[in-house]
């Protein structure tokens, strides 16, 4: 049942893993293969019936999870003027939606693939709201290449990593490099999939081998990370997750119903995890 | 043409600061004909379109959206519609409790003149061919009425008034749609990479030559929806070869149920082979008639003198089908014919203790009209940046009085999909992020309703054969089974 949102987002992430490993934003030399790859992506990323459909359908749940994290704070902040950093923004499904929210001040989306950033920028032009200066900005960079913020004003209320870490070779240093971008009292929010027999079956066997929903090799099951492993990582971080500021929530795609939050689902399938940077360090 | 109550102002989804930037943007790249961009452009100011706009305006999450309404009629006339208490419009609809709750929720119901609305708690339905099969629906006094008869104009006036009370909306009335087309494609990459790309936005050119662009274009433009044509959405269905003859009936002074005993007000429907005839009480000594019949019989009815028309209506609720058919062959003289037949069969004359409606006395002058009846269902309600609601999406046989209720349910559903989308940052014109939700919620349930009403029509069109016996059995069985009947009643009021 846990059909992985196997999508061009993931596919493209796979294809751009070399770029990501080099941690480099120097990928501007455009060759014919990349152009046709870009064209492919451009036509499917926002195609309602394309391979990103499941991701589009999941997007509202991301906002619901973020809201539930913020509402669970002992000191729920008034939610206006929120700043977002979306790491691995792909074609901009989440970044665009975050930028449209009434309480959003600005969104920065970063992705090391220049092709998907072009897709994201081209798509944002369809919405006059998103063209408002400062509202939505895309940078063709790996997060490691962004300047580390020094003051809270440069930091973000929400740093999001949706369907990213399962594609990263060494997740711990990658997560560590995301932490400085979160404002004190802000949240790091991620979604990924647990490494269980269910997920191995549904994503590697069913989605790739049987249904061929995605090309073989899109998923590397050994890179999946369990919720307990992430909890352990964040508990070890000083200044994070105090006062219930570490939350997770399973979710599942049900055919004919769509995505639903499923309590306990974090143990065996897709899940969200949010961790809060303590608002004051004592 | 901008209506008085709707000052036009550049307010937007885009929020004040960004609408400014958007204007700069468009000025930089636009040609002289650069369109105004609205979040929602609704074509059609009937009950479906008006209720959608009212719903969007009344919800906190969507009240900032920039809305435009295009309506070919003069909405000022609808706004100032007024009839004396002894006259009723022949376009009346039975509003179900869920329609009423929706109208209350969006703040429109308080603007309805309820002295002109007639709720009913009882219904008598019977078969013209097997007269001992009857079904009665009775809501308890404590329960909500089965439905409330409301003039369409009373409802439209209330909706327009509530829009006047709410913040601004751009209104183009006495204006029809001249053309709908997509925005020009960008000559990528020659254009500036930051220029606005409206190539996916429907652009509506008005009869005034003004063009506006829509993030979401709503077709609430009735059966022959130009928006549906633009979107290339096909429809399925057929014409029934039947007309609905409507009229405002007058009862003998002082005999209207509503006055004597409001709790007893009853709706009557008799299934004749050509289609059902329905008597729906209005306040005081008035009622509305909806008589489904063949086009030649409709023509005959409309050609009769008022007295003979009245005799035909009284006959249709009482006489045998054979007798009624005979009376249809007469050019005139139905009054005498009915009198004679009732004197021969005095049983026909009695009102059977409330089992048939009382004899009507006359018909309000100029209130007889007829409409062709058809079934149409759009293959989908949505495509990219387009949604259809109301009769543009589905046209139903009036025998269950559901058409307008279905349109209101569409509005409620689409408004809530838009609300969900706005609260989750989605583009409200996007199918997956917004419109699919509406289509999935309404298409199947409307399709079931269309199918059920269509089957009823064909079932009761049969004049002979086993089906006549079976349907009598059906009505008797349903009547005998309390819980099943309750289910039927809920279905009737479900929309
Ligand atoms: C005999 C009969 C009895 C009925 N009884 C009932 C009943 O008891 N209960 C019930 O619920 N329903 C009933 N109905 C159905 C009900 O009247 C309709 O379903 C309802 O009016 C549909 O509302 P709407 O807003 O979708 O469309 P409409 O009321 O048809 O409104 C469409 C609007 O769009 C405008 N328009 C169209 N084209 C353009 C254009 N190009 N440019 C600008 N404007 C345009 C039109 O002027 C019109 O105002 C009955 C129908 C009939 C025929």
């Amino acid at each position: 049942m846990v059909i992985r949102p196997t999508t061009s987002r993931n596919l493209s992430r796979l294809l751009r893993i070399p770029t990501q490993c080099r941690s480099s934003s120097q990928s501007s030399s455009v060759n014919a293969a990349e152009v046709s790859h870009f064209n492919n992506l451009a036509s499917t990323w926002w195609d309602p019936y394309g391979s990103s459909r499941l991701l589009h359908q999941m997007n509202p749940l991301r906002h619901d999870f973020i809201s539930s994290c913020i509402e669970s704070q002992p000191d729920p902040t008034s939610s206006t003027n929120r700043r977002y950093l979306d790491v691995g923004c792909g074609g901009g499904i989440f970044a665009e939606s975050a930028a449209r929210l009434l309480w959003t001040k600005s969104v920065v989306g970063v992705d090391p693939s220049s092709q998907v950033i072009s897709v994201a920028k081209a798509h944002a032009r369809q919405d006059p709201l998103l063209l408002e200066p400062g509202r939505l900005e895309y940078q063709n960079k790996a997060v490691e290449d962004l300047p580390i913020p020094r003051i809270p004003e440069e930091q973000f209320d929400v740093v999001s990593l949706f369907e990213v870490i399962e594609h990263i070779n060494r997740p711990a240093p990658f997560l560590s490099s995301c932490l400085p971008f979160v404002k004190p009292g802000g949240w790091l929010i991620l979604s990924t999939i647990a490494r269980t027999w269910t997920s191995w079956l549904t994503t590697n066997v069913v989605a790739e081998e049987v249904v061929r929903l995605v090309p073989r090799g899109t998923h590397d099951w050994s890179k999946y990370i369990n919720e307990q492993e992430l909890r352990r990582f964040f508990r070890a971080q000083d200044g994070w997750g105090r006062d219930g500021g570490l939350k997770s929530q399973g979710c599942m795609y049900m055919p004919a119903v769509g995505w639903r939050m499923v309590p306990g689902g974090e143990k065996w399938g897709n899940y969200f995890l949010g961790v809060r940077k303590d608002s004051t360090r004592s | 043409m901008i209506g008085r109550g709707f000052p036009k102002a550049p307010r937007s989804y885009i929020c004040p600061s960004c609408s400014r930037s958007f204007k700069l943007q468009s000025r930089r790249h636009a040609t002289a004909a650069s369109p105004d961009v609205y979040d929602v452009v609704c074509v059609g100011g009937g009950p479906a379109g008006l209720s959608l706009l009212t719903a969007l305006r009344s919800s906190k999450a969507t009240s900032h959206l920039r809305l435009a309404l295009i309506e070919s009629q003069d909405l000022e006339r609808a706004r100032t519609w007024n009839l004396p208490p002894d006259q009723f419009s022949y376009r009346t609809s039975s509003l179900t409790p869920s329609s009423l709750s929706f109208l209350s929720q969006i703040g429109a119901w308080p603007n309805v003149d309820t002295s002109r609305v007639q709720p009913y708690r009882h219904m008598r339905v019977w078969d013209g061919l097997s007269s001992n099969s009857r079904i009665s629906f009775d809501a308890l006094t404590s329960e909500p009425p089965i439905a409330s008869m409301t003039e369409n104009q009373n409802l439209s006036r209330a909706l327009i008034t509530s829009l006047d009370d709410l913040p601004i909306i751009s209104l183009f009335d006495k204006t029809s749609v001249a053309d709908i087309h997509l925005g020009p494609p960008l000559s990528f990459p020659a254009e500036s990479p930051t220029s606005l790309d409206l190539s996916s936005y429907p652009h509506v050119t008005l009869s005034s030559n003004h063009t506006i662009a829509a993030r979401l274009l709503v077709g609430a433009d009735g059966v022959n929806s130009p928006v549906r044509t633009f979107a290339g959405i096909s429809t399925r269905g057929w014409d029934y070869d039947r007309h609905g003859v409507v009229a405002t009936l007058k009862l003998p002074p002082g005999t209207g149920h509503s006055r004597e005993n409001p709790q007893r007000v009853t709706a009557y429907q008799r299934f004749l082979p050509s289609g059902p005839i329905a008597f729906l009480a209005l306040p005081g000594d008035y009622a509305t008639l909806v008589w489904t019949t063949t086009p030649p019989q409709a023509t005959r009815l409309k050609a009769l003198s008022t007295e003979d028309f009245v005799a035909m209506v009284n006959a249709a609720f009482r006489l045998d089908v054979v007798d009624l058919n005979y009376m249809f062959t007469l050019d005139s003289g139905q009054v005498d014919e009915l009198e004679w037949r009732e004197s021969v069969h005095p049983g026909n004359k009695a009102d059977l203790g409330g089992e048939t409606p009382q004899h009507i006395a006359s018909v309000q002058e100029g209130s007889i009209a007829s409409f062709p009846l058809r079934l149409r269902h759009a293959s989908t309600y949505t495509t990219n940046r387009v949604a259809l609601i109301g009769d543009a999406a589905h046209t139903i046989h009036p025998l269950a009085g559901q058409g307008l209720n279905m349109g209101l349910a569409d509005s409620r559903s689409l408004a809530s999909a838009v609300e969900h989308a706005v609260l989750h940052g989605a583009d409200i014109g996007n199918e997956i992020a917004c419109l699919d939700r509406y289509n999935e919620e309404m298409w199947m349930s409307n399709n079931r309703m269309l199918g059920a009403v269509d089957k009823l029509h064909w079932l009761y069109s049969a004049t002979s054969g086993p089906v006549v016996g079976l349907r009598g059995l059906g009505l008797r069985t349903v009547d005998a089974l309390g819980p099943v009947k309750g289910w039927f009643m809920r279905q009737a009021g479900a929309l």
Side-chain angles (χ1 to χ4, degrees):
Chain A
M1 287 297 266
V2 198
I3 303 287
R4 181 80 183 72
T6 38
T7 65
S8 56
R9 181 179 169 115
N10 304 319
L11 174 58
S12 68
R13 197 163 281 116
L14 179 87
L15 295 171
R16 69 182 194 266
I17 276 173
T19 340
Q20 190 139 11
C21 293
R22 271 187 281 120
S23 225
S24 160
S25 51
Q26 308 302 306
S27 55
S28 53
S29 58
V30 177
N31 64 38
E34 277 175 325
V35 171
S36 84
H37 174 57
F38 160 73
N39 289 342
N40 265 342
L41 280 179
S43 60
T44 62
W45 207 289
W46 288 95
D47 174 0
Y49 301 103
S51 51
S52 304
R53 187 171 174 82
L54 288 179
L55 269 194
H56 282 276
Q57 291 176 329
M58 187 197 225
N59 202 47
L61 256 63
R62 296 165 167 174
H63 291 287
D64 289 343
F65 182 71
I66 295 172
S67 304
S68 75
C69 285
I70 290 172
E71 281 157 20
S72 75
Q73 293 171 197
D75 53 337
T77 43
S78 78
S79 55
T80 50
N81 284 338
R82 220 179 268 170
R83 295 183 72 231
Y84 291 80
L85 172 64
D86 187 29
V87 178
C89 62
I93 297 175
F94 175 76
E96 280 199 4
S97 64
R100 269 188 211 99
L101 293 171
L102 286 169
W103 48 80
T104 294
K105 180 157 184 256
S106 66
V107 176
V108 176
V110 295
D111 200 293
S113 158
S114 62
Q115 294 93 330
V116 298
I117 286 290
S118 312
V119 172
K121 284 182 174 169
H123 193 268
R125 295 165 63 187
Q126 292 189 14
D127 190 336
L129 169 66
L130 301 178
L131 293 183
E132 181 192 9
R135 183 168 278 271
L136 173 62
E137 184 198 329
Y138 288 115
Q139 291 188 24
N140 176 210
K141 281 194 174 132
V143 67
E144 294 89 343
D145 294 338
L146 291 176
I148 294 173
R150 285 146 310 162
I151 48 169
E153 287 69 49
E154 291 174 359
Q155 291 171 317
F156 296 87
D157 302 280
V158 175
V159 173
S160 51
L161 301 154
F162 291 122
E163 322 304 311
V164 171
I165 53 163
E166 67 271 27
H167 298 281
I168 303 285
N169 286 329
R170 296 189 305 135
F174 171 74
L175 287 174
S176 299
S177 59
C178 293
L179 300 181
F181 291 89
V182 183
K183 210 181 255 184
W187 289 82
L188 181 88
I189 306 277
L190 60 83
S191 64
T192 187
I193 185 161
R195 186 179 66 259
T196 60
W197 288 111
T198 336
S199 66
W200 180 76
L201 256 168
T202 53
T203 65
N204 288 54
V205 180
V206 179
E208 294 189 10
E209 302 293 333
V210 183
V211 191
R212 297 277 162 88
L213 207 62
V214 290
R216 219 175 270 178
T218 299
H219 295 107
D220 184 348
W221 183 69
S222 62
K223 283 194 194 158
Y224 289 8
I225 302 174
N226 287 342
E227 186 247 6
Q228 284 306 322
E229 294 164 325
L230 283 174
R231 278 188 182 263
R232 225 173 294 134
F233 173 87
F234 286 114
R235 278 211 205 92
Q237 305 296 319
D238 190 25
W240 285 81
R242 213 174 55 195
D243 297 335
L246 179 55
K247 289 167 62 75
S248 64
Q249 168 81 72
C251 66
M252 185 167 126
Y253 180 78
M254 295 184 247
V257 177
W259 287 96
R260 288 288 179 276
M261 295 293 196
V262 180
E266 64 277 9
K267 304 265 185 300
W268 44 264
N270 292 72
Y271 65 95
F272 290 100
L273 186 134
V275 56
R276 188 179 186 215
K277 191 182 255 184
D278 300 344
S279 41
T280 46
R281 306 202 56 183
S282 49
Chain B
M1 190 68 56
I2 314 283
R4 241 178 270 151
F6 299 82
K8 192 184 168 221
R11 227 185 99 104
S12 111
Y13 187 2
I14 307 167
C15 81
S17 56
C18 26
S19 73
R20 173 170 32 88
S21 77
F22 160 61
K23 280 214 196 76
L24 293 176
Q25 196 73 45
S26 49
R27 201 174 308 145
R28 214 171 336 131
H29 302 284
T31 56
S34 175
D36 245 347
V37 181
Y38 287 87
D39 291 315
V40 178
V41 173
C42 179
V43 181
L50 288 175
S51 62
L52 173 74
L53 295 176
T54 313
L56 291 173
R57 273 288 175 248
S58 65
S59 148
K60 202 165 156 254
T62 54
S63 60
H64 63 288
L65 296 181
R66 199 169 178 225
L67 311 178
L69 171 64
I70 305 168
E71 167 56 56
S72 46
Q73 314 272 324
D74 180 359
L75 286 179
E76 190 54 30
R77 280 182 54 194
R79 188 183 285 120
T80 54
W81 174 81
N82 201 5
L83 279 182
D86 60 351
Q87 277 181 40
F88 288 88
S89 157
Y90 57 81
R91 281 306 290 268
T92 56
S93 301
S94 52
L95 297 180
T96 58
S98 47
S99 290
L100 252 57
S101 89
F102 170 57
L103 292 167
S104 303
Q105 183 199 323
I106 64 174
W109 190 250
N111 293 325
V112 170
D113 177 356
T114 46
S115 72
R116 304 182 66 86
V117 173
Q118 184 57 60
Y120 58 88
R121 288 197 153 70
H122 306 275
M123 232 171 126
R124 299 285 174 265
V125 181
W126 71 105
D127 188 341
L129 288 187
S130 65
S131 55
N132 56 350
S133 61
R134 293 190 155 258
I135 183 165
S136 321
F137 297 101
D138 299 284
L140 299 175
T141 322
S142 55
E143 290 174 330
I146 295 175
S148 299
M149 293 305 297
T150 311
E151 293 156 289
N152 289 12
Q153 282 161 305
N154 192 1
L155 176 59
S156 292
R157 183 181 57 187
L159 287 165
I160 293 173
T161 315
S162 22
L163 276 177
D164 282 340
D165 291 346
L166 296 166
I168 45 182
I169 171 177
S170 297
L171 180 88
F172 306 90
D173 69 345
K174 291 180 270 172
T175 305
S176 58
V177 170
D179 182 44
I180 311 178
H181 51 274
L182 284 178
L186 287 188
S187 47
F188 188 77
E191 300 228 11
S192 147
T194 54
S195 62
L196 184 57
D197 171 9
L198 292 180
S199 57
S200 69
Y201 282 51
H203 286 49
V204 183
T205 303
L206 309 175
S207 48
S208 58
N209 236 345
H210 186 63
T211 294
I212 59 179
R215 188 188 281 275
L216 170 60
L217 175 66
V218 175
D221 41 359
V223 198
N224 300 312
S225 168
V227 171
R228 194 181 59 218
T229 308
F230 156 75
I233 297 176
S234 60
T235 60
R236 183 186 67 86
W238 40 82
D239 293 350
Y240 284 111
D241 191 31
R242 290 290 185 280
H243 279 223
V245 177
V246 295
T248 303
L249 309 176
K250 292 191 194 178
L251 311 178
T255 63
H257 267 149
S258 65
R259 201 170 285 164
E260 278 166 41
N261 186 354
Q263 296 304 342
R264 284 301 319 156
V265 176
T266 304
Y268 297 93
Q269 180 153 301
R270 185 187 192 197
F271 281 90
L272 297 168
S274 56
I277 179 168
F279 170 103
L280 300 144
L282 292 171
D285 300 320
Y286 300 88
T288 201
L289 171 79
V290 184
W291 188 348
T292 302
T293 187
T294 60
Q297 292 195 345
T299 310
R300 167 62 41 93
L301 285 172
K302 287 196 290 180
L304 294 178
S305 70
T306 309
E307 295 73 30
D308 287 335
F309 181 87
V310 167
M312 282 307 281
V313 173
N314 285 328
F317 280 108
R318 294 174 176 73
L319 296 194
D320 274 356
V321 170
V322 199
D323 296 348
L324 183 67
N325 282 345
Y326 170 73
M327 285 173 71
F328 262 118
T329 62
L330 306 177
D331 286 332
S332 62
Q334 277 83 356
V335 175
D336 300 335
E337 191 63 33
L338 177 67
E339 207 170 307
W340 178 75
R341 282 171 195 272
E342 286 190 331
S343 66
V344 180
H345 295 287
N348 283 334
K349 194 167 166 62
D351 289 341
L352 296 170
E355 293 302 309
T356 45
Q358 57 269 62
H359 280 77
I360 62 159
S362 66
V363 171
Q364 182 179 303
E365 205 185 331
S367 78
I368 305 174
S370 73
F371 307 86
L373 302 184
R374 47 199 153 191
L375 179 141
R376 290 284 185 283
H377 201 196
S379 54
T380 172
Y381 295 167
T382 57
T383 61
N384 192 33
R385 302 203 180 283
V386 176
L388 305 176
I389 59 172
D391 276 22
H394 41 71
T395 311
I396 193 171
H397 192 296
L399 73 83
Q402 289 301 335
L404 195 139
N405 292 298
M406 288 167 80
L408 294 179
D410 292 348
S411 294
R412 187 213 294 250
S413 169
L414 180 57
S416 102
V418 169
E419 182 178 45
H420 181 271
V422 169
L423 290 174
H424 291 86
D427 181 338
I428 62 169
N430 185 286
E431 285 175 85
I432 311 184
C434 176
L435 304 178
D436 282 355
R437 223 179 158 76
Y438 160 60
N439 195 47
E440 281 160 18
E441 182 173 54
M442 298 312 298
W443 196 91
M444 274 310 288
S445 69
N446 283 343
N447 200 53
R448 270 197 300 275
M449 177 64 78
L450 286 157
V453 169
D454 184 54
K455 281 187 196 74
L456 273 178
H457 165 77
W458 296 113
L459 183 61
Y460 285 96
S461 306
T463 46
S464 62
V467 72
V468 175
L470 275 177
R471 72 192 187 206
L473 188 66
L475 275 188
R476 273 200 303 276
T477 316
V478 171
D479 198 35
L481 297 172
V484 177
K485 212 166 79 175
W487 181 84
F488 262 99
M489 260 166 93
R490 277 193 301 280
Q491 291 308 105
L495 274 166

